[in-house]
Amino acid sequence: ARHPATPQDERLLEWLAPLQLRCLALLTKVDKLSRAERPRALAQARRAFADVLLFSSVSHEGVIEARRRLAQWLLETRSGSQE
């Protein structure tokens, strides 16, 4: 979360694009950002990634939402619906 998307991140997204796979970007170590920095980091990441969550393994911020989102995607893939 403290660093912008890198050229490697952009190359990975370009490589994945033809596969039409969903991508969830987790902005890790969000616990190291102030409350004021978090919205800026999120806005910056959304310019590079379609689906973004703030995430911290230390404070557990975003863990439940990430699990929920991934579980929903798996269920949709299983049922054949990818909305």
Side-chain angles (χ1 to χ4, degrees):
R2 297 178 295 160
H3 306 289
T6 66
Q8 290 172 322
D9 295 326
E10 292 169 7
R11 280 194 303 274
L12 176 61
L13 290 176
E14 288 171 12
W15 182 77
L16 290 172
L19 301 175
Q20 297 182 331
L21 297 173
R22 290 181 176 173
C23 176
L24 178 59
L26 297 179
L27 302 186
T28 60
K29 299 187 180 184
V30 71
D31 53 283
K32 296 187 178 203
L33 296 179
S34 71
R35 291 281 177 202
E37 292 172 312
R38 290 173 186 207
R40 285 192 293 264
L42 197 54
Q44 183 180 24
R46 284 188 172 142
R47 287 193 286 274
F49 305 102
D51 208 347
V52 180
L53 289 177
L54 298 175
F55 191 87
S56 170
S57 62
V58 173
S59 69
H60 304 287
E61 182 174 347
V63 171
I64 292 171
E65 178 60 21
R67 285 180 180 164
R68 186 197 64 74
R69 185 94 43 104
L70 294 173
Q72 181 63 39
W73 289 0
L74 289 170
L75 288 172
E76 290 170 3
T77 299
R78 230 171 143 189
S79 69
S81 166
Q82 292 187 5
E83 295 178 14

